Amino acid sequence: MSSVEEFRTEIRGWLKTHLSGSFAALRGRGGPGREHEAFTERLTWERHLAAHGWTCVGWPKEYGGRGASIAEQIAFHEEYALADAPARVNHIGEQLLGPTLVDHGTEEQKARFLPPIRAVEELWCQGYSEPGAGSDLAAVRTRATLTGGRWVVDGQKIWTSLAHEAQWCFVLARTEPGSRRHAGLSYLLVPLDQPGVEIRPIVQLTGTSEFNEVFFDGAVTDAAHVVGAPGDGWRIAMATLGYERGVSTLGQQVGFRRELDALVALARRNGAAADPDIRDRLTRAWAGLEALRAGALRGTDPSAAKLYWSHWHRDLGELALEVCGPAATLAAGAPYELDDWQRLFLFSRADTVYAGSSEIQRNIIAERVLGLPKEPRP
């Protein structure tokens, strides 16, 4: 048995043993559009993972990880999804900020921030998008000034996932007055529990609130809490986005597979599969998911992968409502109770917008991958 197979067997057995008792009820809970589900209980579960060494498996051992290879990380995320384990609450700290600090942080930053992330004692959110600077991230207007040994931050962030549950935010802010676009930005680590921070949840189409507006009005953080050099924030921010689209997406695809299998089963039960058009679209969805997995294993360009999976998932949501029939247009109960298929349809509309809209991804692919002329700008 290879080391990867041994690793896969180990995590599969651990999940079978531990995802039981009080944790058994958490199977399938949480995830996009459902982050409100059993959040406190999922946090307890994730701390249980940490206590047994199953968080941050890809981090180097010197920082509390297992030093797992890429193949072992793939095995972990796939087995976690196959076990129908609850959605993780610490993804942003573990998968985004943690690797950023490992590669770009100072030793002092690593010593201060990595252990609480690994132990799931401090949760993080991502302060990138702003009104007027969503996919055009270089248009950031939030500013920070170094005064008396502290950064003073003023501005607004939006679409900040789980900010209402987080204790810290990594914030992209303009720290050089008069700078434009990618220049003069810094990557700051800012505590949220302070008078200069206001967090306002945003109600989504699903009726829930998992992302927020965050307002900084004289919020402060230590001068040493800048990752990389001041003014080098764009490079660090792009590194974080690269980690965001890493091997954990293979676990996401297991979730997609579960949704597709459930939809095929529904189409067979309610007779929708008798419609040739529905059968054809279900077949195309299956083929698309196979292509998605093959691309992920081969190492498809991150922008191409994001463009492909987001449209695949949005199309699956549209297909789900057609399989369900006219009754899918009615809420399951008052005042706004949605079933899983309705929630999939509504939340998957956001897939092609968050983490870089499809329009921006196409520009990136055209200009940076294919080498085509840049789009004319005013």
Side-chain angles (χ1 to χ4, degrees):
M1 181 181 291
S2 70
S3 61
V4 174
E5 292 171 334
E6 291 174 352
F7 189 88
R8 186 182 290 275
T9 299
E10 181 184 2
I11 180 58
R12 182 186 298 159
W14 189 90
L15 287 167
K16 183 177 180 180
T17 299
H18 289 262
L19 199 54
S20 58
S22 61
F23 290 136
L26 295 180
R27 290 180 182 272
R29 305 299 295 277
R34 299 167 56 190
E35 292 291 358
H36 62 288
E37 294 179 349
F39 188 89
T40 300
E41 293 81 2
R42 286 161 51 215
L43 178 60
T44 300
W45 160 253
E46 195 145 344
R47 288 172 175 166
H48 183 71
L49 282 175
H52 289 80
W54 287 113
T55 56
C56 309
V57 295
W59 289 13
K61 291 181 179 179
E62 60 264 36
Y63 300 121
R66 285 179 172 248
S69 67
I70 295 296
E72 289 171 335
Q73 292 176 57
I74 290 171
F76 172 83
H77 290 294
E78 287 186 334
E79 290 300 327
Y80 191 89
L82 287 167
D84 204 19
R88 305 287 295 275
V89 303
N90 194 30
H91 167 77
I92 295 174
E94 178 176 330
Q95 301 291 338
L96 278 68
L97 181 64
T100 302
L101 291 179
V102 167
D103 289 344
H104 303 283
T106 65
E107 291 306 314
E108 291 76 14
Q109 290 169 347
K110 295 173 187 177
R112 165 60 185 86
F113 293 111
L114 292 181
I117 293 174
R118 194 204 65 79
V120 201
E121 294 172 351
E122 291 178 343
L123 302 182
W124 286 80
C125 60
Q126 181 181 45
Y128 277 15
S129 294
E130 301 179 6
S135 292
D136 184 15
L137 187 57
V140 160
R141 291 184 293 178
T142 293
R143 63 189 185 278
T145 305
L146 190 58
T147 305
R150 300 188 302 178
W151 293 101
V152 181
V153 184
D154 293 279
Q156 178 187 357
K157 298 293 180 178
I158 200 166
W159 318 127
T160 314
S161 298
L162 297 180
H164 59 297
E165 301 287 359
Q167 291 79 48
W168 286 82
C169 182
F170 50 94
V171 177
L172 192 62
R174 195 163 297 282
T175 54
E176 296 180 10
S179 62
R180 298 184 67 253
R181 303 298 296 167
H182 310 86
L185 299 172
S186 296
Y187 189 109
L188 305 177
L189 310 178
V190 181
L192 296 179
D193 186 14
Q194 59 170 303
V197 177
E198 181 182 359
I199 299 172
R200 301 178 188 171
I202 299 173
V203 179
Q204 303 155 189
L205 284 172
T206 54
T208 57
S209 301
E210 63 189 49
F211 45 66
N212 310 261
E213 296 176 283
V214 181
F215 296 87
F216 299 99
D217 183 9
V220 298
T221 193
D222 191 272
H225 290 170
V226 55
V227 182
D232 194 28
W234 184 258
R235 181 177 68 90
I236 305 299
M238 293 303 100
T240 299
L241 290 179
Y243 305 127
E244 183 177 23
R245 295 160 191 167
V247 296
S248 62
T249 58
L250 284 159
Q252 175 193 54
Q253 290 173 29
V254 174
F256 291 170
R257 173 74 64 189
R258 186 178 292 112
E259 290 175 339
L260 177 58
D261 289 347
L263 187 60
V264 169
L266 174 63
R268 287 171 173 163
R269 287 196 309 271
N270 70 5
D275 184 328
D277 179 62
I278 294 292
R279 287 202 308 273
D280 179 70
R281 291 171 65 185
L282 288 169
T283 303
R284 289 176 180 272
W286 176 87
L289 189 54
E290 290 296 309
L292 190 61
R293 175 174 171 75
L297 291 173
R298 188 181 60 188
T300 300
D301 174 80
S303 290
K306 167 60 168 60
L307 183 66
Y308 190 82
W309 76 251
S310 61
H311 282 259
W312 183 93
H313 200 222
R314 184 199 63 184
D315 292 347
L316 185 71
E318 294 177 351
L319 177 56
L321 258 61
E322 293 202 33
V323 169
C324 291
T329 61
L330 301 176
Y336 189 60
E337 180 183 339
L338 303 176
D339 64 27
D340 289 342
W341 299 120
Q342 292 168 324
R343 188 176 290 109
L344 169 64
F345 168 76
L346 291 172
F347 195 84
S348 64
R349 315 307 295 174
D351 287 347
T352 60
V353 179
Y354 67 71
S357 70
S358 292
E359 291 78 9
I360 293 297
Q361 302 300 344
R362 290 189 179 99
N363 280 351
I364 292 173
I365 294 167
E367 296 173 9
R368 301 181 190 176
V369 179
L370 301 178
L372 298 177
K374 289 193 174 184
E375 181 181 13
R377 303 183 187 279

